[in-house]
């Protein structure tokens, strides 16, 4: 049996450039707090599925991101979260699972993980809430002060903002410079060659009640034995592009990971979409791409790690073949 070098990439959102450059170090530290322990588990033999769940849980617990604790608040003052998980290998068919608009849970990704082995693998709204009770998940209030201040401010402006603040920091007097998304995602390749991808979000923020983001759909999260992708950015743009599935299908059809990401991003750029994606292919390549100003991602090739936070604005796609 062929042994693969484990690979890992995670993200904490994509959006416009920071108004305050010091925020980059806040994000870098948070990403590394998730990246390094998860990579340790992968190197010790953890499956890609377990690694992705672990990584998503760590990022959901970090209040600077828009997932789990720290999630954005919808227009009616309620936090509703979504998460998805998918894993595949040469021995296992791809399995997609997820929850949509679940309330008062700490780790939406845990619910997606449970549904991996269930007959009904995507639950929404009341159904997701019923599952949380069935699993005896402890009630959890994901609202943090920063999000509440943000919501109160935007309520006074009739929720005119495009989206929530991308990362942590005090509310700014000019919030239009900080709008973006802080969805989190993890993609992993384990030593057996299995690929998994997971994505979790609190949504766009200030949205109409009942809106469904891309994160718990194949547009936002997708993996087969050929590649895994987690997308982030403006959810409607990702849905229109069917981004994650589009990249994976192109790799399946023989594109290199770089070319699959590049072609998909160029198409989205032509349509003025604002989005980003992280990916790993079956041959061990790690990729990231964006049409937005920044992509908050970090990766580990089994030996070294780095991040994409300082990636030049004009750069669309990069692939690491370590």
């Amino acid at each position: 049996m062929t042994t693969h070098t484990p690979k890992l990439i995670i993200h904490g959102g994509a959006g416009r450039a920071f108004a305050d450059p010091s925020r980059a170090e806040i994000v870098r530290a948070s990403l590394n707090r998730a990246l390094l322990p998860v990579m340790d588990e992968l190197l010790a033999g953890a499956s890609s599925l377990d690694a992705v769940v672990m990584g998503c849980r760590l990022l959901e617990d970090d209040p600077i991101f828009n997932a789990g604790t720290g999630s954005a608040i919808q227009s009616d003052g309620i936090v509703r979260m979504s998460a998805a998980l998918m894993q595949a290998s040469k021995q296992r068919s791809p399995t997609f699972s997820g929850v949509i608009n679940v309330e008062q849970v700490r780790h939406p990704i845990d619910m997606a993980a449970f549904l991996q082995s269930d007959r009904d693998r995507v639950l929404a709204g009341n159904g997701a809430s019923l599952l949380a009770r069935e699993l005896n998940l402890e009630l959890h209030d994901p609202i943090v002060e920063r999000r509440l201040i943000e919501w109160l401010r935007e309520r006074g402006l009739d929720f005119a903002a495009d989206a929530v603040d991308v990362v942590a920091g005090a509310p700014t007097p000019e919030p239009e410079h900080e709008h973006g998304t802080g969805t989190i995602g993890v993609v992993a390749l384990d030593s057996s060659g299995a690929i998994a991808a997971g994505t979790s979000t609190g949504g766009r923020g200030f949205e109409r009640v009942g809106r469904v983001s891309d994160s718990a759909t194949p547009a936002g999260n997708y993996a087969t034995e050929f590649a895994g992708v987690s997308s982030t950015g403006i959810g409607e743009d990702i849905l229109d592009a069917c981004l994650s599935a589009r990249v994976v299908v192109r790799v399946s059809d023989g594109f290199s990971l770089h070319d699959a990401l590049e072609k998909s991003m160029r198409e989205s750029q032509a349509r003025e979409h604002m989005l980003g994606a992280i990916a790993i292919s079956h041959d061990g390549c790690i990729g990231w791409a964006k049409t937005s100003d920044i992509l908050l991602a970090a990766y580990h090739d089994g030996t070294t790690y780095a991040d994409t936070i300082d990636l030049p604005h004009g750069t669309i796609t990069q692939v690491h073949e370590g």
Side-chain angles (χ1 to χ4, degrees):
M1 179 178 176
T2 303
T3 299
H4 298 257
T5 300
K7 304 293 173 69
L8 178 67
I9 186 166
I10 67 177
H11 74 71
R16 297 175 188 165
F18 296 123
D20 179 359
S22 68
R23 295 174 123 199
E25 290 307 314
I26 297 173
V27 178
R28 181 172 284 116
S30 285
L31 290 173
N32 286 339
R33 280 195 295 269
L35 181 79
L36 299 179
V38 174
M39 193 64 201
D40 285 343
E41 291 298 309
L42 273 173
L43 291 171
S47 71
S48 57
L49 189 71
D50 288 344
V52 166
V53 171
M54 177 184 176
C56 286
R57 291 178 102 253
L58 289 169
L59 293 167
E60 286 173 339
D61 277 340
D62 192 323
I64 79 165
F65 299 118
N66 177 20
T69 301
S71 285
I73 305 173
Q74 294 192 353
S75 58
D76 64 347
I78 303 296
V79 169
R80 296 178 180 90
M81 299 165 285
S82 300
L85 190 60
M86 195 168 186
Q87 186 194 42
S89 68
K90 291 181 179 179
Q91 294 77 36
R92 170 181 170 161
S93 297
T95 304
F96 185 95
S97 62
V99 289
I100 296 170
N101 287 339
V102 65
E103 301 175 25
Q104 295 184 302
V105 299
R106 181 176 175 184
H107 294 123
I109 198 66
D110 284 351
M111 300 174 69
F114 173 83
L115 291 170
Q116 276 280 301
S117 58
D118 200 75
R119 182 182 63 181
D120 304 313
R121 288 190 273 111
V122 181
L123 298 179
N126 289 338
S129 296
L130 287 171
L131 176 63
R133 288 201 288 270
E134 177 186 329
L135 297 176
N136 293 317
L137 298 182
E138 182 179 353
L139 287 177
H140 176 71
D141 182 1
I143 294 178
V144 297
E145 182 181 14
R146 179 175 61 91
R147 292 296 188 202
L148 182 58
I149 292 171
E150 186 178 59
W151 183 83
L152 289 169
R153 181 185 65 218
E154 291 301 327
R155 184 180 64 171
L157 299 173
D158 198 25
F159 302 114
D162 292 336
V164 299
D165 187 356
V166 67
V167 290
T172 65
E174 298 179 312
E176 67 272 17
H177 296 304
E178 294 296 335
H179 295 154
T181 55
T183 295
I184 65 93
V186 181
V187 183
L189 171 75
D190 65 28
S191 59
S192 74
I195 298 172
T199 308
S200 182
T201 189
R204 189 180 67 227
F206 326 132
E207 63 263 64
R208 185 189 299 270
V209 176
R211 174 199 180 251
V212 175
S213 77
D214 67 283
S215 295
T217 76
N221 191 83
Y222 202 71
T224 70
E225 65 270 32
F226 295 98
V229 178
S230 173
S231 296
T232 181
I234 299 300
E236 283 70 19
D237 290 350
I238 294 168
L239 285 166
D240 288 346
C242 199
L243 183 62
S244 295
R246 183 184 293 263
V247 172
V248 172
V249 167
R250 282 179 165 152
V251 176
S252 304
D253 286 344
F255 279 63
S256 68
L257 182 60
H258 179 278
D259 290 350
L261 285 167
E262 180 77 7
K263 183 173 178 60
S264 301
M265 289 294 150
R266 293 295 180 187
E267 292 168 346
S268 286
Q269 188 178 50
R271 296 180 174 93
E272 298 184 347
H273 292 163
M274 188 173 76
L275 43 75
I278 59 171
I280 297 178
S281 57
H282 59 95
D283 55 0
C285 290
I286 307 171
W288 52 95
K290 63 178 178 61
T291 63
S292 54
D293 291 342
I294 55 173
L295 174 66
L296 310 179
Y299 62 93
H300 202 303
D301 66 4
T303 303
T304 60
Y305 65 95
D307 63 67
T308 72
I309 295 172
D310 296 326
L311 195 66
H313 292 183
T315 301
I316 302 296
T317 304
Q318 288 190 343
V319 169
H320 177 72
E321 299 180 356

